[in-house]
Amino acid sequence: MAYGPLGLKPWEFGRLTFGEFQALAEGYQWRKEQEQVLSAGFVASLINTCSTRDLKSAVTVDMLLGREPAKQQTKTSDQAKADMKALLAEVG
């Protein structure tokens, strides 16, 4: 990981603390995930606009990446009002 994907030299790797190395590795992982999301978005757009078949539903990035779609929580108006009152009471 240090010498390959991160491209660190032996003397650079030797000077890193465990926390710094972990931060570098997490940054690398985040960049790779962002590249996947960008690519999946491009492919989803192509599939949805250029497909000759009628799709049952639009292809999404989450479908292509094998993620579960985010479930939206619906609140009733009473719950929303109660949440707003609690927030206003907390803020002052």
Side-chain angles (χ1 to χ4, degrees):
M1 179 76 181
Y3 300 130
L6 292 177
L8 296 173
K9 308 289 187 277
W11 55 89
E12 294 171 332
F13 179 66
R15 292 180 182 166
L16 292 175
T17 64
F18 290 119
E20 291 171 336
F21 180 70
Q22 181 180 2
L24 286 171
E26 288 173 356
Y28 175 77
Q29 181 181 359
W30 180 83
R31 285 190 303 278
K32 286 298 180 185
E33 289 172 0
Q34 294 306 309
E35 288 176 6
Q36 288 179 342
V37 169
L38 182 66
S39 297
F42 180 70
V43 171
S45 297
L46 286 175
I47 291 172
N48 290 328
T49 57
C50 299
S51 178
T52 58
R53 298 181 180 181
D54 292 332
L55 301 174
K56 291 181 182 178
S57 62
V59 175
T60 64
V61 171
D62 290 331
M63 287 172 139
L64 293 175
L65 294 178
R67 298 182 194 163
E68 290 291 324
K71 294 182 181 180
Q72 294 180 348
Q73 296 179 352
T74 57
K75 291 186 177 184
T76 63
S77 60
D78 293 335
Q79 288 173 334
K81 287 177 185 177
D83 290 344
M84 184 58 76
K85 284 182 183 179
L87 179 63
L88 289 174
E90 184 179 321
V91 174

